[in-house]
Amino acid sequence: MFFIAVLLMGAAGLFGLAADAVMPKENKVTQEIKINPVYCFNKPSESLVIRPDFIGCIIGEDLPLGQSEITESTERPTDLHPHVLARFLSAQAAAKAEGVTMTFDSGYRTLETQNYLFQRAIKEHKTPEEAIKWVLPGDLSRHPWGLALDVNLHHEKSGASWLEANGSTFGLCRVYENEWWHFEPLIAPGGVCPPLLPDASHLK
Ligand SMILES: [Zn+2]
């Protein structure tokens, strides 16, 4: 039986060689299966899970982090973007595991609130040109789009420092040199954050 099996294998090998010899090279199709990682915040385990794309995030169990930079949608939201929340929750859980406390003091703001903060900043900084380095008006800020987080602003700076060092894993980046607390979803989770901008007057 073993002998027959070897013979058959030998025959197949010969046939394979023969087929190879007659088949033009360019007709050979090389199929590469690429599996992209999908980032999800797993609610039961309260941690980041990375699943293959053919499974994706599990509805009811996972919150998706999104697979790219998160940009303004066509409609004004009424809350933080759900992918931004999932990114923050994943980062917060990872920081907690290392003994670092991280909260966000401000995320989504209404246009009215953002405009009020801008007017207040003009009074504080004397001119709109100086104020805009710290607070953007409603139509320019990404807070009313639910796409910005002010992390640990009124708490320990160490939480924001942790996020600056580790945020790219979760797709969150510090944006400005003068604001250690302000983070935006500028990249896909696992990407590389761009260099810091000097201040908010330098819009992306
Ligand atoms: Zn901010």
Side-chain angles (χ1 to χ4, degrees), residues 106-107 109 114 134-136 141-143 148-151 153 176 179 181-184:
S106 187
R109 295 174 195 149
Q114 188 66 36
W134 299 93
V135 182
L136 286 172
S141 171
R142 298 187 94 208
H143 280 284
L149 295 168
D150 290 347
V151 175
L153 181 52
Y176 305 119
E179 294 189 13
W181 55 86
H182 182 96
F183 290 81
E184 294 184 16

Side-chain angles (χ1 to χ4, degrees), residues 4-26:
I4 294 166
V6 170
L7 266 182
L8 281 171
M9 277 171 68
L14 275 175
F15 178 75
L17 270 177
D20 205 45
V22 283
M23 247 178 70
K25 285 269 185 270
E26 55 270 26

